[in-house]
Amino acid sequence: MEAFKVLEVKQSVFAANNQEADALRTELKEKGVFLLNLMSSPGAGKTTLLTRTIEALREELRVGVMEADIDSDVDARTVSKLGAKVIQLHTGGMCHLDAAMTRQGLEGLGMDGVDIAVLENVGNLVCPAEFDTGAVQNVAILSVPEGDDKPLKYPLMFQVCSAVLINKTDVLPYFDFDMEACKRNILARNPKAAIFAVSARTGEGIGAWTGWLRAQYHAWTERKDEDG
């Protein structure tokens, strides 16, 4: 007989977060707010890609943005120049956001007048993938300079995402990056993932990506109306 109890704290934390995430998804569905969780490593081009996305969608959909960083408000200032509703979230050293923190961000942002709320998660390919934020869809950005083997090294990130954007295609001539190998690596982790080769700098591929996002939003809205 054991003289002490063993408590799996990590499992408990994840279970509690998953319950919170499911509750948040239900509330957002009732309010008609589509939450997108955007993840990548630092420097992959999340903010630049996000500005392109807002520019492509703003005539049709109202996009609100939660910029999550350990510190600074550089990204929020960049997005605010587009006239989008934005809030900066400081994580106090945390390398990810969970469902409770996302809820706080949404309350601070204010959900009135928002069709799609984008959580630009902390730059990290490990921790953000482990925590359900309550998002309808998770999307990862992988940039060409990072290498085509990242899906093999960080499998969970690519397993939990519905779409992967391979960004910075404009610098392909300068890096030893095999696009087809990268796509195979992504699909090996997630056969259902939608993959978009894009350049946030030049605009290449942005139409295909925003078309996918627009379709996801409308499909979700139709399901919401049917369930309601």
Side-chain angles (χ1 to χ4, degrees), residues 12 17 44 46 49 74 82 95 121 148 203 221:
S12 177
N17 181 71
K46 284 196 303 297
L49 193 140
V74 173
L82 297 173
C95 62
N121 217 315
D148 51 47
T221 300

Side-chain angles (χ1 to χ4, degrees), residues 142-149 166 172 175-179 182:
L142 167 66
S143 66
V144 167
E146 294 175 76
D148 51 47
D149 60 352
I166 303 174
L172 273 170
F175 288 88
D176 184 16
F177 185 95
D178 187 327
M179 180 65 74
C182 184

